[in-house]
Amino acid sequence: MRNIEKYSRGYFMPPVKSLKWTEKEYIEDAPAWCSVDLRDGNQALVVPMNLEEKREYFQLLLEVGFKEIEVGFPAASETEYAFLRTLIEQNLIPDDVTVQVLTQSREHIIRKTFESLRGVNNAVVHLYNSTSVAQREQVFQKTEQEIIDIAVTGAKLLKKYAAETEGNFQFQYSPESFTGTEMEFALEICNHVLNVWQPTPENKVIINLPATVSMSMPHVYASQIEYMSDHLNYRDNVILSVHPHNDRGTGVADAELGMLAGAQRVEGTLFGNGERTGNVDIVTLALNMYSHGVDPKLNFENIPDLLSKYEELTRMKVHERHPYGGELVFTAFSGSHQDAIAKGMKCREDRSRQYWSVPYLLIDPKDIGRQYEGDIIRINSQSGKGGIGYILMQNYGFDLPKEMRESFGYTVKNVSDRLHKELMPNEIHEIFINEYVNIHDPIEFINYRFTQNENYETNVSIKIDNEIHELIGTGNGRLDAISNVLQSTLGINYNHLVYKEHALEIGSQANAVSYVGFTALDGDVYWGCGIDADIMTSSVKALFSAINKMLSRVKPNFESGYSLLNK
């Protein structure tokens, strides 16, 4: 690509090695979660939420289980001011939930912020100012000391107005654009703020280190977090927080490695909504932890409903391949994937397994409200016999023999390829019924009778061209007797008869289903299926279905002893 020389690595490594986080294998405990959907997420919407929509979204966040929710920038917007006052005055904030508000380090903004918080039970007042080299030099044109003075002034004003305002307040400071700030300076300004607030075990403060713009690989961010964690004043009384954005597509990795490096709290949004490429996605983070057997302390047991509400209120669309929430993330179209999933699910049913280990499925879709039927395996021209057989089994109770699944799989794939579309379960079922079940042309089965001596003797009634014929023969079993009479009397030849049967329940009607397959003299294999209330009749219907499928390939000739084959 052109113009590569105009770019450089704009981040700063810590002045000392900070790599202890690399010794940890996984995140052992859930962080404190803070949703910033109603502030950071809302300001990034094409059409921000109105007051009623924000109330509804706030309730949604409570249902998920968030205990910290940033509700807005009340001094900057009358809608956000009114929203916060509504929450407080109508007692809509549960006693165990803390709301958070954002403020710049300017006295009139801080004053109005505390006015908006009058009477709140618990609130975090989030102070920020930008500290990066680019912001200092290009936007504010201030020295490092002047930037520190802005932060310190704001920290003092927070203490002043908190003391004068009814409510219970906790302080938070963010060196905005932390990732573009020299680490020594980021540490210095945070420690100046901490020295003003002087946190205690009973009154801890939050230092939030945002990847306002993600500028480095995730391991660099982790080292930056660890350096700050190791060198902050009052560290035992500081809750270290991260707020990653997703500019490089690494927001989740930044947060996860940041937690390994010492972060105790994460700010983010549902499904990653936010400025530019968005904030870190808390749904993904939480369910990543869940997949490792760690309780994320958030409830995502009904992702479909959550997704529907999210899209309604934000007017944003979650991509079909979005982790966990996307419509297609648990779906396999590939034949080999479908076969592995189907076998894994069958293995899980047959054996008692402590841990989830189904191929290609990181977690059990049902644990987050997704259904196996229509979610896991979907059928198109790339699908295989295992997946197609799984669809019939899960949705309609047909347990096809292995060899028949292959035959039916090609039939379905050919239909999908010809129509150039995905096939729904009802369409697959319709293809199966039309192609395999109770086929009665050109030979229609009417009835049978058996008598048993040394062998089974049978009298079979059939209809050909609207004319009924009675055929008589014997065999060592009932199906064998009927098979023999059809071959000997009608001149049909095949071998290697395969048979399977089981009970079938479709809706409230209980039936028996049988599958019959055989190999014709030319080596082609034909399958038929029979359904009937009587198990023997279902097997006979399956045999006739297979024979009729074979005859559909050969023009029958019913002259001279009923021979069906042209000599």
Side-chain angles (χ1 to χ4, degrees):
M1 292 181 66
R2 294 178 299 165
N3 300 324
I4 192 170
E5 68 280 354
K6 72 193 276 189
Y7 297 102
S8 66
R9 291 174 288 279
Y11 57 84
F12 298 88
M13 289 294 290
V16 296
K17 269 192 177 180
S18 297
L19 296 172
K20 295 191 296 293
W21 61 268
T22 63
E23 300 170 4
K24 300 177 182 178
E25 181 183 349
Y26 64 95
I27 300 162
E28 297 181 358
D29 298 296
W33 302 106
C34 178
S35 161
V36 295
D37 291 79
L38 290 169
R39 197 275 302 170
D40 203 337
N42 186 59
Q43 75 185 36
L45 298 177
V46 176
V47 180
M49 287 179 272
N50 60 35
L51 182 60
E52 187 54 40
E53 288 170 333
K54 293 190 77 170
R55 285 182 56 174
E56 196 170 347
Y57 203 105
F58 182 78
Q59 184 60 40
L60 180 67
L61 295 173
L62 294 180
E63 291 170 4
V64 169
F66 284 100
K67 300 303 180 184
E68 296 181 39
I69 301 172
E70 188 167 81
V71 294
F73 196 153
S77 163
E78 285 305 315
T79 298
E80 295 189 7
Y81 187 99
F83 173 57
L84 178 54
R85 291 312 307 163
T86 298
L87 293 179
I88 295 170
E89 292 169 6
Q90 296 186 15
N91 295 316
L92 298 177
I93 307 170
D95 291 341
D96 62 344
V97 171
T98 299
V99 293
Q100 178 171 301
V101 292
L102 187 69
T103 180
Q104 295 172 332
S105 183
R106 301 169 68 182
E107 184 166 10
H108 72 284
I109 291 176
I110 292 173
R111 183 190 312 115
K112 187 169 184 179
T113 298
F114 277 94
E115 287 175 5
S116 72
L117 287 167
R118 288 189 318 273
V120 71
N121 288 331
N122 298 289
V124 171
V125 183
H126 180 185
L127 173 72
Y128 78 97
N129 68 309
S130 196
T131 60
S132 69
V133 174
Q135 293 268 16
R136 296 194 319 255
E137 293 179 351
Q138 299 173 38
V139 180
F140 300 107
Q141 299 180 4
K142 292 185 180 295
T143 65
E144 290 183 2
Q145 186 56 54
E146 288 173 319
I147 296 295
I148 290 173
D149 290 344
I150 292 172
V152 168
T153 298
K156 291 177 178 177
L157 288 170
L158 258 62
K159 287 186 71 172
K160 172 180 182 293
Y161 283 101
E164 299 171 357
T165 307
E166 177 191 1
N168 181 32
F169 304 106
Q170 185 178 26
F171 300 148
Q172 173 174 322
Y173 174 68
S174 291
E176 193 209 356
S177 59
F178 164 76
T179 45
T181 304
E182 309 92 323
M183 288 300 101
E184 299 94 326
F185 180 59
L187 178 66
E188 181 182 5
I189 196 168
C190 287
N191 280 335
H192 274 290
V193 170
L194 288 170
N195 289 339
V196 172
W197 286 340
Q198 297 183 355
T200 65
E202 297 75 28
N203 191 20
K204 293 184 178 183
V205 302
I206 302 167
I207 293 294
N208 185 56
L209 303 175
T212 309
V213 178
S214 176
M215 304 176 73
S216 69
M217 293 175 68
H219 72 286
V220 172
Y221 187 60
S223 294
Q224 293 170 335
I225 298 302
E226 185 172 281
Y227 170 75
M228 296 291 287
S229 179
D230 286 345
H231 294 89
L232 283 171
N233 294 344
Y234 306 94
R235 181 62 184 91
D236 290 344
N237 302 327
V238 170
I239 299 168
L240 189 60
S241 177
V242 291
H243 179 123
H245 279 250
N246 200 41
D247 302 86
R248 302 180 78 253
T250 59
V252 168
D254 287 340
E256 290 182 328
L257 297 193
M259 283 188 274
L260 291 180
Q264 302 150 289
R265 181 178 183 269
V266 174
E267 294 187 347
T269 59
L270 298 178
F271 304 110
N273 180 38
E275 297 281 12
R276 305 180 309 281
T277 56
N279 289 275
V280 67
D281 174 12
I282 288 181
V283 176
T284 299
L285 274 175
L287 291 176
N288 280 356
M289 296 178 63
Y290 181 73
S291 74
H292 285 167
V294 177
D295 185 358
K297 306 295 176 64
L298 293 174
N299 182 359
F300 294 120
E301 293 180 0
N302 195 335
I303 285 287
D305 281 0
L306 178 67
L307 186 67
S308 174
K309 200 59 159 176
Y310 167 84
E311 291 186 338
E312 175 191 342
L313 293 173
T314 65
R315 303 170 183 85
M316 299 283 285
K317 173 67 177 173
V318 174
H319 193 275
E320 290 88 343
R321 298 294 181 185
H322 193 101
Y324 301 107
E327 179 185 356
L328 298 178
V329 296
F330 293 110
T331 300
F333 290 103
S334 161
S336 60
H337 288 209
Q338 291 177 343
D339 185 59
I341 291 171
K343 288 175 178 174
M345 298 293 285
K346 184 73 166 64
C347 185
R348 188 164 182 83
E349 291 174 4
D350 294 344
R351 306 177 196 173
S352 176
R353 290 178 175 266
Q354 181 180 1
Y355 298 112
W356 178 262
S357 60
V358 174
Y360 297 111
L361 296 180
L362 180 62
I363 65 173
D364 186 345
K366 282 196 171 180
D367 287 339
I368 58 172
R370 302 291 294 271
Q371 299 302 310
Y372 295 153
E373 298 81 4
D375 268 352
I376 295 182
I377 291 176
R378 288 165 59 175
I379 304 303
N380 62 16
S381 61
Q382 305 302 307
S383 303
K385 61 183 184 298
I388 293 167
Y390 180 85
I391 290 288
L392 274 186
M393 179 65 182
Q394 289 295 312
N395 291 274
Y396 302 102
F398 290 101
D399 187 11
L400 276 60
K402 178 180 178 182
E403 299 84 354
M404 189 179 186
R405 286 201 302 270
E406 183 171 359
S407 171
F408 180 55
Y410 284 117
T411 300
V412 171
K413 289 170 65 172
N414 288 339
V415 172
S416 176
D417 192 38
R418 186 176 70 252
L419 298 178
H420 200 62
K421 58 170 283 192
E422 177 188 357
L423 297 177
M424 297 297 103
N426 65 303
E427 295 174 302
I428 295 166
H429 179 246
E430 183 178 354
I431 293 169
F432 180 71
I433 296 297
N434 291 339
E435 292 289 330
Y436 293 90
V437 178
N438 295 353
I439 300 174
H440 52 75
D441 183 53
I443 305 174
E444 182 179 355
F445 163 69
I446 303 297
N447 207 341
Y448 60 80
R449 295 188 303 276
F450 288 106
T451 57
Q452 184 177 6
N453 296 313
E454 290 185 4
N455 292 315
Y456 283 89
E457 297 179 1
T458 185
N459 185 303
V460 183
S461 301
I462 64 172
K463 183 188 288 187
I464 299 174
D465 289 337
N466 292 320
E467 184 177 348
I468 294 178
H469 304 274
E470 301 291 333
L471 310 181
I472 299 173
T474 63
N476 57 20
R478 290 186 292 180
L479 186 62
D480 182 61
I482 292 178
S483 176
N484 288 343
V485 74
L486 293 176
Q487 291 195 74
S488 62
T489 307
L490 301 180
I492 301 170
N493 294 291
Y494 54 81
N495 50 44
H496 304 306
L497 194 71
V498 178
Y499 172 69
K500 177 182 178 180
E501 65 185 33
H502 63 80
L504 176 70
E505 185 173 328
I506 301 177
S508 60
Q509 183 178 3
N511 280 306
V513 59
S514 299
Y515 313 96
V516 169
F518 56 70
T519 304
L521 294 185
D522 61 4
D524 288 342
V525 178
Y526 296 91
W527 286 93
C529 176
I531 299 176
D532 195 88
D534 176 71
I535 189 66
M536 185 62 217
T537 304
S538 75
S539 64
V540 174
K541 288 182 176 180
L543 175 61
F544 272 85
S545 295
I547 289 173
N548 283 325
K549 281 189 69 68
M550 180 178 70
L551 295 178
S552 69
R553 298 269 307 270
V554 179
K555 182 179 180 180
N557 176 5
F558 297 119
E559 298 175 0
S560 182
Y562 307 116
S563 175
L564 299 181
L565 301 178
N566 290 311
K567 304 291 185 170

